[in-house]
Each structure stands twice: as C-alpha cells, then as structure tokens.
Amino acid sequence: MCSNLGAELKSGEKMASGMIFDIKRYSINDGPGIRVTVFFKGCPLGCAWCHNPESVAPGVERMYNRGKCIGCGECVLTCPEQALIMTAEGIAADMKRCAGCGRCAEVCPCLAIEMSGRRVSVDEILRTVEKERIFIDQSGGGVTFSGGEPLHQPRFLTTLLKEAGSRGLHRAVDTTGYAKTRTLVEVAEHTDLFLYDVKMMDTERHKQWTGVGNELILDNLKTLAEIGARINIRLPLIKHVNDDGENIRQTAAFIASLPGGARTINILAYHNIMAGKYDRLGRSFDQGSMAEPATDEIAGIAAVFSGCGINPVIGG
Ligand code: SF4
Ligand code: SF4
C-alpha cells in the first residue's frame, strides 16, 4: 500500500507542504485508539504554561542541551553566520544572526544541538501514518493533527484531512479554536473529532495568561456545536490560574449550554516537566504562581462538570 501512496495523490496535493516539529507514533492521548499525532509548528497564543514551547514560533529553531556538550567547538567553526560563541558556560548564540540552517546540529558529535521544525509534504506524512496502519486499524485509532495550531496552516491541514479521509482514517484536530470561523467550518467538513481547548471564561484573564482574548474561541466553539461537529473539550487545569470555583462553574455552564447534547471534557492537569525545553531554546520559563492541582481538587472539579451533565475524563 505504501509504495503506491504517492501515485494516489493528485499532483497539487502531493506538493502541498507545511512546517511541523514532531510526529508521534503510538499516541494514546489524542483521540480514540492508537494514533499518529502530527505536531504543526506555529501558534497565535502564548500560554504561560505551554508544554511545547518549541511549537509557538512558525519557523525552524535551534535547541541546545548544554548537558550533552563536550565543548569541541565544531559548531562555532561551522556556523556560516558567526552566530555561535564558546563561553565558560557552553555555547552562546546570537539568535538574531541565526538563519536556522541546521549546520551546527549536523556537525555536533554529541547531539547537543537539535533543530526544531522541518518542512514536510503531505505525501511524507501519509507514508508515516500508513506504516502504523495495523495498530491504528486494530485499535480503532487514527491520525491527529495538533500543534502549535494546525488551523494556522489551513491548506496543508485540509489536504491532509482529505487524503486521510480518502484512506478511511479517523481524523482528529486538536485546536486552540483561535482561527477564522470560515477556516474552522471548512476544516470541520473533513474532521471526525475536534479536541478543543477551553482555558478560562474571563476574557481579560485569558488575555493576561495566553496573549489573546477568548471571544473568538468561544464563538467558534458555539459555531462548531451548531453545525453538529463532534467535539471533546479540553481544560488545561493550572492551580492559581483557572482552578477557582467561579471559573469552573462558568466553564461548566457554558459547555452545558452548547447545542448537540452531552459533552466530554478532558481535564489536563498542569505539570512543569517541560521547563528544560525552555532552557534548550534559550528562553526563561517563569513558573510564577502556577502550580499542579492536587488529586482531590481535580476530583472536586470533575464533580462540578458531572453535576452539569458533562462527562469528565481526567487526563487525555
Ligand atoms: S542553525 Fe545555522 S545559522 Fe543558526 S547557529 Fe546553527 S549553523 Fe549558525
Ligand atoms: S559541536 Fe556540539 S559538542 Fe561541540 S561545542 Fe558545539 S554543541 Fe558542544
């Protein structure tokens, strides 16, 4: 099947390409069954708790792990932009000079440098998915497009969804909902399940923590519900950010008011194990007041949703 895949795509679709930062096989938290999850690069939000900070910028980024570096200096000598300097603390980079060419990562003997982000074709992604087909079919799984924000590469996403659909694959889109309504509705025609983030109900607080207000996100969620899209709502739960009773009650009331019957909400507890990624990107991570919610607090919040006729699922 794989060897004929390229021929099955129309030429224009075969050429469609986009920027991703990862493809995860055997994913079990991004929709039903065993899935392949494709992580798009680029996101219009800047959530303070982002677990994938390498997903936010749309272009290629360099990540440096000083714990692996042996100080050989090969990367400094190779960089055509003179962006790298050897210091007592390891390699320092002037990211304004970095062109993202990846040569430093190629010559590093210790894999201390990796490049996050690469341009891939629809054809390449579908070939990767097809390799996992036996697990996908046996488990009732499929393919999930996540990010970053997949809706910000709409042509690439839509082509992938159409092609996956033509192969009988279940298709999920994991989204912030922050996109043009017209784009979202077009994507919905080729999507079997949305994984849709609702973070908090007060738009000023939403803006403070994510960089954007929530009006468009909530309006788009209503629109999807009205057109009958299948939606699992996801709540990233962060202590001292959105775990207060008022926000939880308002969130539950809003979800319960959506047309289309009973809903599931996945409660995703915050953790900070991604802090090292910020360091490798050369950014600081400000934990501030953010904290992990306790198990009994999560259970209490789940009970609020249950009381509003919403099915709470703790975790992905
Ligand atoms: S990615 Fe290219 S330009 Fe950037 S630091 Fe590495 S070698 Fe230099
Ligand atoms: S090439 Fe790799 S190991 Fe050598 S100095 Fe650069 S980052 Fe360190």
Side-chain angles (χ1 to χ4, degrees), residues 73-82 84 101 103-104 106-107:
E74 283 298 320
C75 54
V76 178
L77 294 172
T78 302
C79 177
E81 309 295 337
Q82 285 83 50
L84 302 177
C101 69
R103 289 191 205 167
C104 52
E106 285 167 18
V107 298

Side-chain angles (χ1 to χ4, degrees), residues 37-38 40 125 143-147 150 157 160-161 164 171-174:
T37 301
V38 182
F40 284 44
I125 288 181
V143 58
T144 299
F145 301 107
S146 182
L157 175 62
L160 280 165
L161 288 167
R171 303 153 299 178
V173 172
D174 179 10

Side-chain angles (χ1 to χ4, degrees), residues 43 45-51 56 176 197 199 209-211 278 290:
C43 182
L45 275 64
C47 303
W49 57 84
C50 183
H51 286 180
V56 179
T176 65
D197 277 13
K199 299 177 174 80
W209 287 102
T210 73
Y278 285 81
M290 295 185 290

